[in-house]
Amino acid sequence: MQATTLVSRTADLFDQGLERQSGAALLRFGAARRREDDRTGWSGDGAVAWLDAGRGHVWSVGDAAAAAELVLNAERERPGAIREFTGPRGSDELVGRRRELTDVVEWVFRWTLVEPPVMRNEERVVELGEEHHGELIDFLGAHSPAHSTGPGSADVSLWAGIRDADGRLVACGALSSLRDSGAPLMASVATDASQRGQGLGAALTAWLTRYAVREHGFCTLWQIADNVPAQRLYDRLGYRDEDHCVSARIVGAA
């Protein structure tokens, strides 16, 4: 399927109404409808894509074949500037026929519009301010070294945590945001390994979800596709499981 490049304006991303279709929530929540005209986007037959220029990352939704063509179009238009992409499951195989890829990871972009059921220990969650950033850095370094975002990040609007009876931090998590739209994105939820099995991660995830839904009307998060315990938790909390994605880096890109 051959994609057609259109004028690079935000409105083009929504011309096909893909954001209303199942499996296109990344467009619905992740792409801003109103932005400056400097945002680059592409539209094809059944797919759209947009560029995070700072990261050299192309985001796409829709038909996998059309999305793959949009990624390849973007690379041809901006040689050396496209380093990685996220698209519908299967787009990696199609891009991979013409470009060498690495760091391929399958994800599920999950979202909810409703408050979750109350979880055990949720009442123990407290907000954490800038004065706790050092403590959060130490905790994440010890219990979640690969965390997606850290204290001090400009994308984070809120940190929350749970403490034990001695006041020691035993779980934490953040509300970050999707880069293009600013939509709430849960991130860096971590639990002390010695405290696992008490439902602390579930309590923190429910609390952050409830906060985001009350403040913004929805919450989003990324789940690694084969993380079965996380999948079960997000199912319990009411997150939709419709948007199956894949990300990859293009070998040799600048």
Side-chain angles (χ1 to χ4, degrees):
M1 183 178 295
Q2 181 64 41
T4 302
T5 302
L6 299 181
V7 178
S8 300
R9 290 184 179 275
T10 303
D12 290 340
L13 299 181
F14 298 93
D15 283 351
Q16 299 183 61
L18 293 177
E19 74 279 4
R20 297 189 296 272
Q21 298 181 14
S22 175
L26 185 57
L27 173 62
R28 177 181 176 187
F29 297 115
R33 283 182 175 271
R34 295 184 179 181
R35 277 203 51 183
E36 299 297 326
D37 289 342
D38 61 355
R39 200 266 301 278
T40 301
W42 299 268
S43 181
D45 183 12
V48 295
W50 61 101
L51 175 64
D52 179 345
R55 293 174 56 195
H57 192 115
V58 174
W59 302 89
S60 64
V61 301
D63 175 78
E69 285 294 337
L70 292 178
V71 171
L72 292 165
N73 278 352
E75 193 192 25
R76 284 192 294 268
E77 284 187 15
R78 295 172 174 253
I82 309 302
R83 297 185 290 274
E84 56 192 31
F85 67 92
T86 297
R89 199 77 56 82
S91 60
D92 58 314
E93 296 180 12
L94 298 167
V95 174
R97 293 175 185 174
R98 290 187 252 177
R99 299 291 186 274
E100 184 181 355
L101 304 179
T102 188
D103 298 333
V104 178
V105 180
E106 293 187 344
W107 301 87
V108 184
F109 179 69
R110 305 198 63 163
W111 55 278
T112 183
L113 305 177
V114 299
E115 292 189 28
V118 176
M119 295 286 110
R120 178 170 60 96
N121 289 315
E122 195 175 338
E123 74 283 353
R124 295 173 57 187
V125 178
V126 296
E127 293 188 34
L128 301 174
E130 290 186 14
E131 67 275 18
H132 302 111
H133 280 187
E135 185 181 15
L136 284 164
I137 290 170
D138 291 343
F139 183 83
L140 288 167
H143 301 289
S144 183
H147 54 276
S148 58
T149 193
S153 169
D155 295 330
V156 173
S157 60
L158 174 72
W159 283 95
I162 297 176
R163 298 187 182 279
D164 64 13
D166 297 322
R168 186 172 60 93
L169 193 65
V170 291
C172 74
L175 273 185
S176 185
S177 58
L178 295 169
R179 290 172 62 94
D180 192 69
S181 65
L185 174 73
M186 193 181 310
S188 296
V189 175
T191 304
D192 186 325
S194 68
Q195 303 291 319
R196 288 175 185 160
Q198 300 182 39
L200 301 183
L204 195 58
T205 302
W207 190 94
L208 288 167
T209 301
R210 194 179 318 284
Y211 183 98
V213 170
R214 289 179 178 178
E215 291 293 316
H216 305 281
F218 63 97
C219 190
T220 70
L221 57 83
W222 287 102
Q223 176 209 316
I224 295 179
D226 60 0
N227 188 335
V228 175
Q231 178 180 343
R232 290 172 178 164
L233 171 60
Y234 301 146
D235 287 347
R236 286 168 55 202
L237 296 181
Y239 279 86
R240 304 286 285 270
D241 183 6
E242 302 171 355
D243 299 78
H244 294 240
C245 308
V246 62
S247 63
R249 293 184 62 84
I250 300 172
V251 174

